[in-house]
Amino acid sequence: MVALDRRSFLLTGSLGLGAFAVPGFAQSPNVTSGRGFTHSVASGEPGSDTMLLWTRYVPASGDSAELRVELSETPDFARVVSGGSQITGAWRDFTAKITVDGLKPNRRYHFRFVAPDGSFSPVGTTKTLPQGPVDRFRTATFSCSNMPYGFFNAYAHAAARDDLDLAIHLGDYLYEYKTGDYPAAKDQVAGRVPLPATELLHLADYRIRYASYRSDPDLQRLHAKLPMIVQWDDHESANDSWEGGAENHQAEESDWKARRAASIQAYREWMPVSDEPWKAYEVGTLATLFRTETRLLARTKQADVAPLFRAADPIAALKAFRDGGWMDPAATMMGSQQESWLSHAIATSVRAGQRWQVVGFGTVMGRTIMPPEAPGWLAATASERAKNRILAGVVAAKLGLPFNFDSWDGYPAARARFLHAAQTVGANLIVLSGDSHNAWAFDLGQDGKPAGVEFAGHGVTSPGYESAFALDPKLIAAAAVRANAELKWCDTSRRGYMAMTLTPDSATNDWIMVDTIKTSTPAASIGHSATVRRGRNVMA
């Protein structure tokens, strides 16, 4: 796969100063020139007859360039069946996104881009969505890919499979922190430190970080193998972001609106995604997949309960919050416009006879409280911040409050509206979610009745509970299940991805666990499987 080094960045002039620390760059034929197709190819926004195709090309002149894309049903491109063209340049960081039409349903295509000098990009494959009856459809779902923590072995394992139809990424595709912040220097894997070394604040920063991540060979292979539906979560901008700010954003750093706009621009340049903030995708008569936005456009600021613990009567303060502010119907993850769109779109899917309604969210929806035994799990090396959060979570749990107000638990009225809307139209609801770094399986309920199931994914590399706890993860998982009525299974120590198989009558999700992230190997195994039967809205 093609990658860039420091000289490449200096030559392009659009990214600013920077260099990569990802192994293998010296073998790239384009490193010394810093020109040509720099980051392989990708595809996304699949339809039954359409696809969005992505690449990045820097011309020798450093000026603009007109690129063509070709699609063929055979790898030799003996017959080009569709294509298109686009002019790219520094104004869009030399990326190109071309949407092609006239394709056949459920068909695998080979595609490549052609530069003005006649050179070709690497060849990618993509697959259109099916039409009509569908017997089986398989997806791979990813989230939380923090490069310094280790190798993207989850991407490598999925890219090596031949039974997947589509990839889904639910956010935290990259992380915005400065080098040595998260992870700390002692936890970084050698050769896995992206650039820039500073925290991402400006457009050039975000572009360089995407360039670093997109140079990873396993991520390139995955993008070149499968179409991907992508949506951002918080770290594509800043930690715990919301409409008006973020936990990892201080006023002296920059203007939040400018930072948010820069993060969105870089994301849309570098990712195979349209500019539509949310979208539905039809998988024949089998399912409707929904891409959502729950971070930057309308999310209400997360509740901060820390001050309540410093009140004269913390318990009374927490109870007042539980019965008041926590239940505020104006607190929203999606905003009224998207809420309305999603509820109507789910209803339309049900009326059309789609067997499943699959909604991707950046954060976990299942209700979770801190188990009372949790303080006893803490490792001796756990930080004071981690200890305080666990202790506060136990106190909150006794009052019926969650421990994470950045997830759907922080927005109970909005959660109830979503689940009630799905119940009202008789949806066969599957929620896919990420963000927590751990693996979870929930039966979602509303008003005492089943509303759907949630398959929540573990991180590609980002660490979970194991970073603070010393107890056997199996004992932690058992205690978490006992403490939370909706939770049916969890794994709090391993990394990987989810592979879901949809059929007309059932949906089965496999949590794939990689053997390690500390060395480069695609070795992995199924850690757990869960199945839901159509019409049940609970796992079997």
Side-chain angles (χ1 to χ4, degrees):
M1 299 297 175
V2 180
L4 288 176
D5 67 357
R6 180 180 180 87
R7 184 172 176 228
S8 302
F9 277 131
L10 294 173
L11 288 171
T12 63
S14 67
L15 289 172
L17 296 177
F20 291 131
V22 179
F25 287 8
Q27 286 71 44
S28 169
N30 278 5
V31 166
T32 57
S33 67
R35 297 296 191 256
F37 292 100
T38 63
H39 287 79
S40 192
V41 295
S43 64
E45 300 295 355
S48 61
D49 64 351
T50 186
M51 189 71 66
L52 182 152
L53 306 173
W54 179 98
T55 195
R56 184 173 185 269
Y57 177 82
V58 182
S61 64
D63 199 354
S64 62
E66 182 171 330
L67 302 178
R68 292 188 294 111
V69 69
E70 299 176 341
L71 286 90
S72 174
E73 295 185 25
T74 59
D76 60 4
F77 288 85
R79 179 172 175 266
V80 174
V81 298
S82 185
S85 60
Q86 182 180 11
I87 298 172
T88 188
W91 64 88
R92 54 180 303 115
D93 206 9
F94 296 98
T95 61
K97 295 192 296 187
I98 300 174
T99 298
V100 296
D101 295 310
L103 307 180
K104 297 177 182 178
N106 200 32
R107 190 66 57 93
R108 191 171 298 279
Y109 288 94
H110 303 265
F111 69 97
R112 66 187 181 187
F113 287 81
V114 186
D117 62 4
S119 62
F120 295 107
S121 71
V123 174
T125 59
T126 191
K127 189 177 182 181
T128 53
L129 297 180
Q131 278 186 341
V134 181
D135 293 332
R136 189 177 303 271
F137 190 81
R138 289 190 175 99
T139 64
T141 301
F142 307 88
S143 65
C144 306
S145 313
N146 193 324
M147 181 179 281
Y149 271 113
F151 289 88
F152 292 159
N153 293 328
Y155 296 150
H157 186 270
R161 298 176 62 157
D162 292 321
D163 62 341
L164 297 172
D165 299 293
L166 177 70
I168 297 170
H169 207 295
L170 296 174
D172 296 346
Y173 184 93
L174 53 67
Y175 283 69
E176 84 284 8
Y177 295 104
K178 66 181 180 181
T179 300
D181 198 349
Y182 181 70
K186 66 181 179 63
D187 297 318
Q188 292 175 359
V189 172
R192 298 290 297 172
V193 182
L195 291 187
T198 57
E199 182 180 342
L200 310 186
L201 299 175
H202 309 291
L203 179 58
D205 303 332
Y206 286 100
R207 284 173 165 176
I208 293 171
R209 189 64 57 88
Y210 276 107
S212 288
Y213 272 68
R214 289 296 300 274
S215 294
D216 180 85
D218 294 321
L219 180 52
Q220 286 194 4
R221 277 191 283 269
L222 180 64
H223 272 303
K225 179 74 173 287
L226 292 169
M228 184 182 286
I229 294 174
V230 297
Q231 58 192 67
W232 61 59
D233 192 38
D234 53 339
H235 290 291
E236 287 87 351
S237 54
N239 183 54
D240 288 358
S241 51
W242 57 285
E243 181 182 8
E247 179 275 335
N248 190 27
H249 178 79
Q250 289 71 48
E252 65 271 16
E253 291 179 322
S254 64
D255 176 70
W256 168 248
K257 289 184 178 180
R259 183 179 185 180
R260 183 181 68 168
S263 72
I264 292 174
Q265 179 176 335
Y267 185 87
R268 288 175 172 167
E269 288 171 349
W270 278 85
M271 300 296 285
V273 66
S274 70
D275 291 350
E276 300 159 281
W278 47 79
K279 193 172 181 177
Y281 309 83
E282 304 298 339
V283 184
T285 59
L286 180 63
T288 306
L289 311 179
F290 298 95
R291 170 167 64 84
T292 65
E293 196 289 320
T294 57
R295 273 293 172 192
L296 298 178
L297 304 185
R299 180 195 273 247
T300 308
K301 187 177 183 180
Q302 303 88 336
D304 181 9
V305 299
L308 303 182
F309 285 89
R310 298 190 291 269
D313 187 343
I315 300 302
L318 286 166
K319 286 181 177 179
F321 167 71
R322 178 195 63 193
D323 300 333
W326 183 47
M327 300 301 297
D328 188 350
T332 176
M333 292 276 269
M334 295 187 287
S336 59
Q337 181 183 356
Q338 188 180 181
E339 277 193 26
S340 177
W341 167 81
L342 185 55
S343 64
H344 283 86
I346 289 175
T348 298
S349 174
V350 173
R351 287 195 301 269
Q354 298 291 71
R355 308 290 286 180
W356 301 98
Q357 288 71 45
V358 183
V359 183
F361 287 128
T363 53
V364 172
M365 177 165 280
R367 289 175 174 153
T368 52
I369 61 171
M370 188 66 68
E373 311 97 314
W377 305 342
L378 285 162
T381 56
S383 66
E384 285 302 312
R385 183 174 183 271
K387 292 177 183 178
N388 291 336
R389 186 180 184 193
I390 299 303
L391 293 172
V394 170
V395 173
K398 293 177 180 178
L399 301 176
L401 287 168
F403 65 88
N404 182 12
F405 291 92
D406 184 59
S407 70
W408 280 91
D409 267 339
Y411 305 80
R415 179 190 191 271
R417 289 194 297 269
F418 168 74
L419 292 177
H420 179 72
Q423 285 176 326
T424 299
V425 298
N428 284 273
L429 177 66
I430 298 172
V431 169
L432 302 177
S433 61
D435 182 68
S436 76
H437 307 176
N438 295 125
W440 316 85
F442 294 95
D443 283 340
L444 302 173
Q446 181 60 35
D447 300 326
K449 297 177 292 185
V453 301
E454 179 176 13
F455 302 141
H458 41 328
V460 170
T461 59
S462 301
Y465 277 7
E466 76 276 13
S467 58
F469 293 149
L471 189 69
D472 182 343
K474 292 181 180 178
L475 298 178
I476 293 175
V481 170
R482 287 194 302 269
N484 293 282
E486 291 188 340
L487 181 62
K488 304 306 173 185
W489 169 85
C490 68
D491 183 289
T492 64
S493 66
R494 293 182 286 179
R495 313 278 73 80
Y497 70 102
M498 299 189 298
M500 182 176 67
T501 302
L502 297 176
T503 71
D505 299 317
S506 67
T508 298
N509 193 65
D510 297 330
W511 283 264
I512 308 296
M513 309 298 186
V514 297
D515 288 2
T516 181
I517 60 172
K518 299 305 181 183
T519 60
S520 179
T521 170
S525 60
I526 298 175
H528 183 72
S529 297
T531 297
V532 56
R533 305 291 178 186
R534 188 176 185 275
R536 295 284 308 279
N537 275 332
V538 295
M539 283 172 278

